[in-house]
Amino acid sequence: MKLKEVDRTAMQAWSPAQNHPIYLATGTSAQQLDATFSTNASLEIFELDLSDPSLDMKSCATFSSSHRYHKLIWGPYKMDSKGDVSGVLIAGGENGNIILYDPSKIIAGDKEVVIAQNDKHTGPVRALDVNIFQTNLVASGANESEIYIWDLNNFATPMTPGAKTQPPEDISCIAWNRQVQHILASASPSGRATVWDLRKNEPIIKVSDHSNRMHCSGLAWHPDIATQMVLASEDDRLPVIQMWDLRFASSPLRVLENHARGILAIAWSMADPELLLSCGKDAKILCSNPNTGEVLYELPTNTQWCFDIQWCPRNPAVLSAASFDGRISVYSIMGGSTDGLRQKQVDKLSSSFGNLDPFGTGQPLPPLQIPQQTAQHSIVLPLKKPPKWIRRPVGASFSFGGKLVTFENVRMPSHQGAEQQQQQHHVFISQVVTEKEFLSRSDQLQQAVQSQGFINYCQKKIDASQTEFEKNVWSFLKVNFEDDSRGKYLELLGYRKEDLGKKALKDSDQVAQSDGEESPAAEEQLLGEHIKEEKEESEFLPSSGGTFNISVSGDIDGLITQALLTGNFESAVDLCLHDNRMADAIILAIAGGQELLARTQKKYFAKSQSKITRLITAVVMKNWKEIVESCDLKNWREALAAVLTYAKPDEFSALCDLLGTRLENEGDSPLQTQACLCYICAGNVEKLVACWTKAQDGSHPLSLQDLIEKVVILRKAVQLTQAMDTSTVGVLLAAKMSQYANLLAAQGSIAAALAFLPDNTNQPNIVQLRDRLCRAQGEPVAGHESPKIPYEKQQLPKGRPGPVGHHQMPRVQTQQYYPHVRIAPTVTTWSNKTPTALPSHPPAASPSDTQGENPPPPGFIMHGNVNPNAAGQLPTSPGHMHTQVPPYPQPQPYQPAQPYPFGTGGSAMYRPQQPVAPPTSNAYPNTPYISSASSYSGQSQLYAAQHQASSPTSSPATSFPPPPSSGASFQHGGPGAPPSSSAYALPPGTTGTLPAASELPASQRTENHSVQDQAPMLEGPQNGWNDPPALNRVPKKKKMPENFMPPVPITSPIMNPLGDPQSQMLQQQPSPPIPLSSQSSFPQPHLSGGQPFHGIQQPLGQTGMPPSFSKPNIEGAPGAPIGNTFQHVQSLPTKKITKKPIPDEHLILKTTFEDLIQRCLSSATDPQTKRKLDDASKRLEFLYDKLREQTLSPTITSGLHSIARSIETRNYSEGLTMHTHIVSTSNFSETSAFMPVLKVVLTQANKLGV
Amino acid sequence: MVSVINTVDTSHEDMIHDAQMDYYGTRLATCSSDRSVKIFDVRNGGQILIADLRGHEGPVWQVAWAHPMYGNILASCSYDRKVIIWREENGTWEKSHEHAGHDSSVNSVCWAPHDYGLILACGSSDGAISLLMYTGEGQWEVKKINNAHTIGCNAVSWAPAVVPGSLIDQPSGQKPNYIKRFASGGCDNLIKLWKEEEDGQWKEEQKLEAHSDWVRDVAWAPSIGLPTSTIASCSQDGRVFIWTCDDASGNTWSPKLLHKFNDVVWHVSWSITANILAVSGGDNKVTLWKESVDGQWVCISDVNKGQGSVSASVTEGQQNEQ
């Protein structure tokens, strides 16, 4: 393919290989006259600029010369390795002169560019060559057999290689050997080539065949083999290239007869000895392999002969050819399309002529077009054989798991014979480990986790801590695993209850003096006083048996007495207050009842101006938010201490969080880092990660290790103390954990990486990584290779379009990952008459619902991961269900005689290994796929379920599973179907189904009630199997029982009448409602089997729910992942009673969301989706309520508005992104009630494309 | 520390030109001048030949695994001007698609980040880069960038899909749409960065100039969540450059010379965590490089026939970073 052209009739020389950029020097040719018959001569230098796509060469310099040239070469003499000095240009002139030019000076535009000149030769100097070993040596040849060797260091007096050959002849070519520096060859048109040994100073061999028709126009040594050379003949009768080996000099080794007429020039590539260029009078430029004679390439040329041809030394694919039509063309032998160039030319033409009428024809010219033919011809094929320089001999690539794949090929031996030499074509796979300390620390952490030796681990960390802060952090973490964690926290903050008690006694007067509103001393001493007072009270009360006077005089005392005697507490209190007898007033108010007490307190605080009032207010009113929100951040310790002391479990975390957030937002970096401590107390892993990341540079493996150590320990602590649902892995944490696991994997510790990945989350990056790790481990995957767990497999049909291509690759990326499972639930084929066909009860109907607060992102839902909660309970150990789950006592009414078990074994049913039961296989055509997916490790419960399911399925009619196994599957249905999802899964109206309460007409809710009646009986086992999802907000830790009471003194008398809703609830209702209602989904199989169940059949005798049922649902467990969604469903009816209007500015949210749901509903086809949407619509009420109350933070509302906007533009994926953003940045409990459902709606909308 | 854990005798009959592991690191694909592509199962240190793929009529230069979400797919490119997309179906590998849109040797193939769909970039000696996009139904749509690199394109490498810094700091309301970018290196000594315009056309975004000879390979570093983009390039001139760009617009790239070798450098490859660069050169040596705390690139290992060790000084340096 032609790259460049210059219109010159000239000899040419490329700049040496060292030179960058690449130059081409041209010197006016002495032999040919150009079209103008001008006798002027010039030396020009052009730059080869390949980044310029045009055909023009960039002219760098022109030097008007008095000479014309027969030969031009560019030697690297005196060139340094950087190529800064541009060597020397050596020209052979017409009159026996050799001229040395300095190309750098030519380029610089100097006048004095000639370095030296010598005209010792006779006649034109046609042959020149530079010794490649000693670049100061130049050989030249001219008429009369003259050969000179010039030393550029001493240019005046040349040497001769020996005596002149006889008879005298013109020397047309001369060439230094490429391997041996003292060997030189010359050739003449008369046909002979002579090889000279400069050490011997004589010709050592003469090469000639006996045809007498070899008219040598070209001579070239083999680039690699010292004894081989080629000679080209100009004679039309013998247009050949002879390859000679001097060892066998009697006849040519090989003769290349590819040209039809005489050859004018040859050039042997230094980069690849298999490429020899030749151009001849047949107007061809050929590239052949002189070792085989094969023509590899024919350059597309015009019909003109070329008289000079040169490889570019630096760019091995480039050559230049000078032709008699007065043009030097630069070609690439790599082929390529010239379409672009031609198009450019056409454009140029077009733009020059425009569409005007240059020829006066009266017709505007049609736009210029390239004929189709030209386009075809413009494609230039490359060499038949790949040139050596593009054959990559070596490589090294990293792959997953810190593996390095390397290969190398021993360098191609230079002569062909050696190619057969046995080569080992090996590829090496190596393990690269660079972070040893990181690995060992990770190992320690892993051991600590495995051995549960958290306290020891933390202690070690404390001991090893370099900084005070680090020590603090680890101390805080350690406390999590100890008894009385709050107390210990307090100690860490510098407060010891006992000490304070003593201190208070001693320095009670200091209390008054202390300034700072919530100064630590004040607060804590106050605390101490309370304790003391209480003690005193308790001491004094029993002994107060003395007599006293009841005065009814007219003074205040008397009035109070009168009021008291008449039972008029209110007046008495007023009087006391009036008289500033605060203590009396409060005491009386207590006796006067709740209302009065509250009023009195208020009045008291309004009146009291003491500096610690706010603290007292907070303590009494339990308004810790006030403290935390408004305290001076310098007093964060004290605020935290107060929270630790007083806050109830359900608000404790939030308060710590709040404090932490305040600290974090403070620009001051010391305070910022302290926020970490707050988050540790709060057990808020996500925020800890965020805060830590902000404060530390987390990019280095070891600093990431620092973070992960803390996070892992904290998570363990949180799991222990708060029974947190482990599936709540925030975005940030997920990112860090996957980063960490990635690092481990990159060091080859794949097993460790797997161990540290949170095992129960649907964060896409984690799911993805786990899949990758599992497979990288090389564990044989059960079943066959086909399933790609985290990805929906994209079908890629064979070449032709055909019926195979039923899986079209969706363009919308967010949809690509939807697993098949999501589709399955739409097929609801079960009927109560065929218990074996119950499978369609799909816990995974709506993953975002089943997972409560942590809806999976739309992508990467594991096929098998039907229920993450269940998965969390049974994380790794494979085996059968009934071996893992605590045996579930069969409640009386459930005692089954029906073969329901595999029906209830919900998820088990729709991935049977052998599709024996027809209904099952019909419902799930893709069953094999799923079943193999479920064999994925970590999905053990499904795996187990398979086995379990398969046996009964094989003989459904006869063999009923024995009680234990039925119990097991029963349980499986339980945890596998959290309450809210069960509602979706069941087709409404079918006999025996029991939708969740919200979906039932109120009258049917008796069902719930009746089930609830059985609660006491079920209580024990429920705790066993249903812990994490349902009871997760009920702290398990012994020091923080659910009815945790803050320290007694003030609060207890005040608090008791108000009651702790939670404890109250627990008193009134022996069992939390959530498991109950999840229970409610169980009876269906029995019912379907015909067993009468009074709960349903009983026609609506008991209507409504007992208050104890609904109320705790609302208040019981704020922020509890599962409880919340459920509770919400339950609480809807009560919420509808009084409602403020939604503020105008937020009304758009409601209308947008509702409108979207309506749109989805109208285009949704399957009942499943419709139900989901219906429910979403209801649940969004929660959001509207929050809007009404204006309790949402501005960031959330603005985020919601963004979502609304993206809904309006139908850009749901953007909405989802915003959604993720909100969820990841906002307070969990604030958004948990409505964000998941909003996500469902968005996802649906995206899916339906409404 | 670099230790050989598996030596695979490929039984190729000629030079090996590329060897790539799949996404999971369990299968190895190799290609050779013997015109074949081979796939080995190399789990647990073993080597089981899974497939010996014949179909190319010239030396096969490179192979590239597609992301597994699209199935088991391997692309190969050859001197025969063709790109073949191979696919495993029911345990058998076969040719799924053949792209013959180039006029010269196809030197490099690279799959786009899976987030974009199934897109393959191919760089050819004809100077063009073509982009094959799977459009479903067995159809591939081709976009071609003509004259991307005069004389030829030697390497293509996609930018990671995660736009740096976008994970968390994405301003609200901004489109999460990725900007598709890739880098190419060619015989015009240039590295070029290409960007897909909104109309779907590919446009040259940047020209990175530092090499004085053919750019043999470019490798865009995987994103590790930092707001910096990094590209490694190596050249015939023996130099390896690390290019970094800190600004969000992606316009200011600055080169840093990693090392000047005495011979052509053929290949650069980033570790998955983007902190180590493997450099393989004409002297048949593989070296591993890591950026030290002060921003200098340090050779941490000489991998000679897979043997090597990480020099102690750097490891200590890392500890000092703490």
Side-chain angles (χ1 to χ4, degrees), chain B residues 293-308:
Chain B
V293 202
D294 55 350
Q296 295 304 309
W297 285 87
V298 191
C299 181
I300 55 167
S301 176
D302 250 329
V303 184
N304 192 10
K305 280 212 174 23
Q307 307 288 340

mmCIF file with all atom_site columns, all heavy atoms in Angstrom, chain B residues 293-308:
data_model
loop_
_atom_site.group_PDB
_atom_site.id
_atom_site.type_symbol
_atom_site.label_atom_id
_atom_site.label_alt_id
_atom_site.label_comp_id
_atom_site.label_asym_id
_atom_site.label_entity_id
_atom_site.label_seq_id
_atom_site.pdbx_PDB_ins_code
_atom_site.Cartn_x
_atom_site.Cartn_y
_atom_site.Cartn_z
_atom_site.occupancy
_atom_site.B_iso_or_equiv
_atom_site.pdbx_formal_charge
_atom_site.auth_seq_id
_atom_site.auth_comp_id
_atom_site.auth_asym_id
_atom_site.auth_atom_id
_atom_site.pdbx_PDB_model_num
ATOM 1   N N   . VAL B 1 293 ? 6.517  4.015   46.605 1.00 0.00 ? 293 VAL B N   1
ATOM 2   C CA  . VAL B 1 293 ? 5.798  5.093   47.285 1.00 0.00 ? 293 VAL B CA  1
ATOM 3   C C   . VAL B 1 293 ? 6.079  6.445   46.645 1.00 0.00 ? 293 VAL B C   1
ATOM 4   O O   . VAL B 1 293 ? 5.204  7.298   46.532 1.00 0.00 ? 293 VAL B O   1
ATOM 5   C CB  . VAL B 1 293 ? 6.230  5.162   48.763 1.00 0.00 ? 293 VAL B CB  1
ATOM 6   C CG1 . VAL B 1 293 ? 5.168  5.856   49.569 1.00 0.00 ? 293 VAL B CG1 1
ATOM 7   C CG2 . VAL B 1 293 ? 6.546  3.787   49.283 1.00 0.00 ? 293 VAL B CG2 1
ATOM 8   N N   . ASP B 1 294 ? 7.311  6.631   46.211 1.00 0.00 ? 294 ASP B N   1
ATOM 9   C CA  . ASP B 1 294 ? 7.641  7.938   45.649 1.00 0.00 ? 294 ASP B CA  1
ATOM 10  C C   . ASP B 1 294 ? 7.315  8.023   44.161 1.00 0.00 ? 294 ASP B C   1
ATOM 11  O O   . ASP B 1 294 ? 7.802  8.904   43.466 1.00 0.00 ? 294 ASP B O   1
ATOM 12  C CB  . ASP B 1 294 ? 9.126  8.254   45.891 1.00 0.00 ? 294 ASP B CB  1
ATOM 13  C CG  . ASP B 1 294 ? 10.026 7.153   45.351 1.00 0.00 ? 294 ASP B CG  1
ATOM 14  O OD1 . ASP B 1 294 ? 9.479  6.098   44.975 1.00 0.00 ? 294 ASP B OD1 1
ATOM 15  O OD2 . ASP B 1 294 ? 11.245 7.356   45.282 1.00 0.00 ? 294 ASP B OD2 1
ATOM 16  N N   . GLY B 1 295 ? 6.513  7.090   43.695 1.00 0.00 ? 295 GLY B N   1
ATOM 17  C CA  . GLY B 1 295 ? 6.060  7.203   42.314 1.00 0.00 ? 295 GLY B CA  1
ATOM 18  C C   . GLY B 1 295 ? 7.025  6.643   41.289 1.00 0.00 ? 295 GLY B C   1
ATOM 19  O O   . GLY B 1 295 ? 6.768  6.749   40.091 1.00 0.00 ? 295 GLY B O   1
ATOM 20  N N   . GLN B 1 296 ? 8.118  6.065   41.741 1.00 0.00 ? 296 GLN B N   1
ATOM 21  C CA  . GLN B 1 296 ? 9.044  5.459   40.785 1.00 0.00 ? 296 GLN B CA  1
ATOM 22  C C   . GLN B 1 296 ? 8.634  4.024   40.513 1.00 0.00 ? 296 GLN B C   1
ATOM 23  O O   . GLN B 1 296 ? 8.164  3.329   41.406 1.00 0.00 ? 296 GLN B O   1
ATOM 24  C CB  . GLN B 1 296 ? 10.476 5.474   41.343 1.00 0.00 ? 296 GLN B CB  1
ATOM 25  C CG  . GLN B 1 296 ? 11.050 6.873   41.527 1.00 0.00 ? 296 GLN B CG  1
ATOM 26  C CD  . GLN B 1 296 ? 11.026 7.687   40.248 1.00 0.00 ? 296 GLN B CD  1
ATOM 27  O OE1 . GLN B 1 296 ? 11.487 7.225   39.215 1.00 0.00 ? 296 GLN B OE1 1
ATOM 28  N NE2 . GLN B 1 296 ? 10.462 8.886   40.311 1.00 0.00 ? 296 GLN B NE2 1
ATOM 29  N N   . TRP B 1 297 ? 8.886  3.609   39.291 1.00 0.00 ? 297 TRP B N   1
ATOM 30  C CA  . TRP B 1 297 ? 8.581  2.217   38.978 1.00 0.00 ? 297 TRP B CA  1
ATOM 31  C C   . TRP B 1 297 ? 9.813  1.370   39.237 1.00 0.00 ? 297 TRP B C   1
ATOM 32  O O   . TRP B 1 297 ? 10.911 1.683   38.780 1.00 0.00 ? 297 TRP B O   1
ATOM 33  C CB  . TRP B 1 297 ? 8.114  2.086   37.544 1.00 0.00 ? 297 TRP B CB  1
ATOM 34  C CG  . TRP B 1 297 ? 6.723  2.590   37.400 1.00 0.00 ? 297 TRP B CG  1
ATOM 35  C CD1 . TRP B 1 297 ? 6.336  3.867   37.160 1.00 0.00 ? 297 TRP B CD1 1
ATOM 36  C CD2 . TRP B 1 297 ? 5.523  1.836   37.541 1.00 0.00 ? 297 TRP B CD2 1
ATOM 37  N NE1 . TRP B 1 297 ? 4.961  3.966   37.124 1.00 0.00 ? 297 TRP B NE1 1
ATOM 38  C CE2 . TRP B 1 297 ? 4.443  2.731   37.352 1.00 0.00 ? 297 TRP B CE2 1
ATOM 39  C CE3 . TRP B 1 297 ? 5.232  0.498   37.802 1.00 0.00 ? 297 TRP B CE3 1
ATOM 40  C CZ2 . TRP B 1 297 ? 3.119  2.328   37.425 1.00 0.00 ? 297 TRP B CZ2 1
ATOM 41  C CZ3 . TRP B 1 297 ? 3.915  0.103   37.868 1.00 0.00 ? 297 TRP B CZ3 1
ATOM 42  C CH2 . TRP B 1 297 ? 2.873  1.003   37.684 1.00 0.00 ? 297 TRP B CH2 1
ATOM 43  N N   . VAL B 1 298 ? 9.599  0.318   39.984 1.00 0.00 ? 298 VAL B N   1
ATOM 44  C CA  . VAL B 1 298 ? 10.707 -0.517  40.402 1.00 0.00 ? 298 VAL B CA  1
ATOM 45  C C   . VAL B 1 298 ? 10.482 -1.928  39.883 1.00 0.00 ? 298 VAL B C   1
ATOM 46  O O   . VAL B 1 298 ? 9.366  -2.456  39.944 1.00 0.00 ? 298 VAL B O   1
ATOM 47  C CB  . VAL B 1 298 ? 10.791 -0.573  41.946 1.00 0.00 ? 298 VAL B CB  1
ATOM 48  C CG1 . VAL B 1 298 ? 12.101 -1.209  42.361 1.00 0.00 ? 298 VAL B CG1 1
ATOM 49  C CG2 . VAL B 1 298 ? 10.654 0.819   42.526 1.00 0.00 ? 298 VAL B CG2 1
ATOM 50  N N   . CYS B 1 299 ? 11.557 -2.504  39.408 1.00 0.00 ? 299 CYS B N   1
ATOM 51  C CA  . CYS B 1 299 ? 11.462 -3.894  38.966 1.00 0.00 ? 299 CYS B CA  1
ATOM 52  C C   . CYS B 1 299 ? 11.484 -4.776  40.199 1.00 0.00 ? 299 CYS B C   1
ATOM 53  O O   . CYS B 1 299 ? 12.442 -4.747  40.976 1.00 0.00 ? 299 CYS B O   1
ATOM 54  C CB  . CYS B 1 299 ? 12.627 -4.228  38.046 1.00 0.00 ? 299 CYS B CB  1
ATOM 55  S SG  . CYS B 1 299 ? 12.552 -5.925  37.450 1.00 0.00 ? 299 CYS B SG  1
ATOM 56  N N   . ILE B 1 300 ? 10.427 -5.532  40.402 1.00 0.00 ? 300 ILE B N   1
ATOM 57  C CA  . ILE B 1 300 ? 10.394 -6.348  41.607 1.00 0.00 ? 300 ILE B CA  1
ATOM 58  C C   . ILE B 1 300 ? 10.725 -7.790  41.308 1.00 0.00 ? 300 ILE B C   1
ATOM 59  O O   . ILE B 1 300 ? 10.926 -8.585  42.203 1.00 0.00 ? 300 ILE B O   1
ATOM 60  C CB  . ILE B 1 300 ? 9.022  -6.278  42.312 1.00 0.00 ? 300 ILE B CB  1
ATOM 61  C CG1 . ILE B 1 300 ? 7.901  -6.650  41.347 1.00 0.00 ? 300 ILE B CG1 1
ATOM 62  C CG2 . ILE B 1 300 ? 8.796  -4.895  42.879 1.00 0.00 ? 300 ILE B CG2 1
ATOM 63  C CD1 . ILE B 1 300 ? 6.593  -6.890  42.045 1.00 0.00 ? 300 ILE B CD1 1
ATOM 64  N N   . SER B 1 301 ? 10.770 -8.120  40.037 1.00 0.00 ? 301 SER B N   1
ATOM 65  C CA  . SER B 1 301 ? 11.061 -9.520  39.777 1.00 0.00 ? 301 SER B CA  1
ATOM 66  C C   . SER B 1 301 ? 11.511 -9.718  38.351 1.00 0.00 ? 301 SER B C   1
ATOM 67  O O   . SER B 1 301 ? 11.027 -9.077  37.432 1.00 0.00 ? 301 SER B O   1
ATOM 68  C CB  . SER B 1 301 ? 9.817  -10.367 40.026 1.00 0.00 ? 301 SER B CB  1
ATOM 69  O OG  . SER B 1 301 ? 10.083 -11.695 39.679 1.00 0.00 ? 301 SER B OG  1
ATOM 70  N N   . ASP B 1 302 ? 12.438 -10.574 38.215 1.00 0.00 ? 302 ASP B N   1
ATOM 71  C CA  . ASP B 1 302 ? 12.870 -11.037 36.914 1.00 0.00 ? 302 ASP B CA  1
ATOM 72  C C   . ASP B 1 302 ? 12.322 -12.431 36.751 1.00 0.00 ? 302 ASP B C   1
ATOM 73  O O   . ASP B 1 302 ? 12.710 -13.332 37.476 1.00 0.00 ? 302 ASP B O   1
ATOM 74  C CB  . ASP B 1 302 ? 14.404 -11.118 36.886 1.00 0.00 ? 302 ASP B CB  1
ATOM 75  C CG  . ASP B 1 302 ? 14.968 -10.047 35.982 1.00 0.00 ? 302 ASP B CG  1
ATOM 76  O OD1 . ASP B 1 302 ? 14.276 -9.702  35.016 1.00 0.00 ? 302 ASP B OD1 1
ATOM 77  O OD2 . ASP B 1 302 ? 16.085 -9.589  36.259 1.00 0.00 ? 302 ASP B OD2 1
ATOM 78  N N   . VAL B 1 303 ? 11.422 -12.578 35.860 1.00 0.00 ? 303 VAL B N   1
ATOM 79  C CA  . VAL B 1 303 ? 10.872 -13.916 35.699 1.00 0.00 ? 303 VAL B CA  1
ATOM 80  C C   . VAL B 1 303 ? 11.640 -14.594 34.568 1.00 0.00 ? 303 VAL B C   1
ATOM 81  O O   . VAL B 1 303 ? 11.485 -14.236 33.409 1.00 0.00 ? 303 VAL B O   1
ATOM 82  C CB  . VAL B 1 303 ? 9.380  -13.875 35.368 1.00 0.00 ? 303 VAL B CB  1
ATOM 83  C CG1 . VAL B 1 303 ? 8.821  -15.265 35.309 1.00 0.00 ? 303 VAL B CG1 1
ATOM 84  C CG2 . VAL B 1 303 ? 8.653  -13.038 36.383 1.00 0.00 ? 303 VAL B CG2 1
ATOM 85  N N   . ASN B 1 304 ? 12.489 -15.490 34.952 1.00 0.00 ? 304 ASN B N   1
ATOM 86  C CA  . ASN B 1 304 ? 13.255 -16.176 33.939 1.00 0.00 ? 304 ASN B CA  1
ATOM 87  C C   . ASN B 1 304 ? 12.743 -17.603 33.857 1.00 0.00 ? 304 ASN B C   1
ATOM 88  O O   . ASN B 1 304 ? 12.839 -18.350 34.810 1.00 0.00 ? 304 ASN B O   1
ATOM 89  C CB  . ASN B 1 304 ? 14.740 -16.144 34.298 1.00 0.00 ? 304 ASN B CB  1
ATOM 90  C CG  . ASN B 1 304 ? 15.578 -16.585 33.126 1.00 0.00 ? 304 ASN B CG  1
ATOM 91  O OD1 . ASN B 1 304 ? 15.076 -16.725 32.028 1.00 0.00 ? 304 ASN B OD1 1
ATOM 92  N ND2 . ASN B 1 304 ? 16.847 -16.804 33.381 1.00 0.00 ? 304 ASN B ND2 1
ATOM 93  N N   . LYS B 1 305 ? 12.183 -17.919 32.763 1.00 0.00 ? 305 LYS B N   1
ATOM 94  C CA  . LYS B 1 305 ? 11.524 -19.215 32.606 1.00 0.00 ? 305 LYS B CA  1
ATOM 95  C C   . LYS B 1 305 ? 10.597 -19.471 33.790 1.00 0.00 ? 305 LYS B C   1
ATOM 96  O O   . LYS B 1 305 ? 10.542 -20.549 34.343 1.00 0.00 ? 305 LYS B O   1
ATOM 97  C CB  . LYS B 1 305 ? 12.558 -20.325 32.512 1.00 0.00 ? 305 LYS B CB  1
ATOM 98  C CG  . LYS B 1 305 ? 13.175 -20.437 31.138 1.00 0.00 ? 305 LYS B CG  1
ATOM 99  C CD  . LYS B 1 305 ? 13.541 -21.892 30.853 1.00 0.00 ? 305 LYS B CD  1
ATOM 100 C CE  . LYS B 1 305 ? 14.030 -22.194 29.485 1.00 0.00 ? 305 LYS B CE  1
ATOM 101 N NZ  . LYS B 1 305 ? 14.600 -21.194 28.664 1.00 0.00 ? 305 LYS B NZ  1
ATOM 102 N N   . GLY B 1 306 ? 9.952  -18.423 34.172 1.00 0.00 ? 306 GLY B N   1
ATOM 103 C CA  . GLY B 1 306 ? 8.978  -18.572 35.236 1.00 0.00 ? 306 GLY B CA  1
ATOM 104 C C   . GLY B 1 306 ? 9.571  -18.574 36.629 1.00 0.00 ? 306 GLY B C   1
ATOM 105 O O   . GLY B 1 306 ? 8.860  -18.546 37.614 1.00 0.00 ? 306 GLY B O   1
ATOM 106 N N   . GLN B 1 307 ? 10.885 -18.573 36.723 1.00 0.00 ? 307 GLN B N   1
ATOM 107 C CA  . GLN B 1 307 ? 11.488 -18.540 38.055 1.00 0.00 ? 307 GLN B CA  1
ATOM 108 C C   . GLN B 1 307 ? 11.780 -17.094 38.416 1.00 0.00 ? 307 GLN B C   1
ATOM 109 O O   . GLN B 1 307 ? 12.120 -16.299 37.570 1.00 0.00 ? 307 GLN B O   1
ATOM 110 C CB  . GLN B 1 307 ? 12.803 -19.320 38.062 1.00 0.00 ? 307 GLN B CB  1
ATOM 111 C CG  . GLN B 1 307 ? 12.686 -20.725 37.525 1.00 0.00 ? 307 GLN B CG  1
ATOM 112 C CD  . GLN B 1 307 ? 11.960 -21.631 38.482 1.00 0.00 ? 307 GLN B CD  1
ATOM 113 O OE1 . GLN B 1 307 ? 11.861 -21.330 39.662 1.00 0.00 ? 307 GLN B OE1 1
ATOM 114 N NE2 . GLN B 1 307 ? 11.443 -22.736 37.980 1.00 0.00 ? 307 GLN B NE2 1
ATOM 115 N N   . GLY B 1 308 ? 11.721 -16.809 39.641 1.00 0.00 ? 308 GLY B N   1
ATOM 116 C CA  . GLY B 1 308 ? 12.067 -15.450 40.022 1.00 0.00 ? 308 GLY B CA  1
ATOM 117 C C   . GLY B 1 308 ? 11.667 -15.181 41.441 1.00 0.00 ? 308 GLY B C   1
ATOM 118 O O   . GLY B 1 308 ? 10.989 -15.975 42.078 1.00 0.00 ? 308 GLY B O   1
#
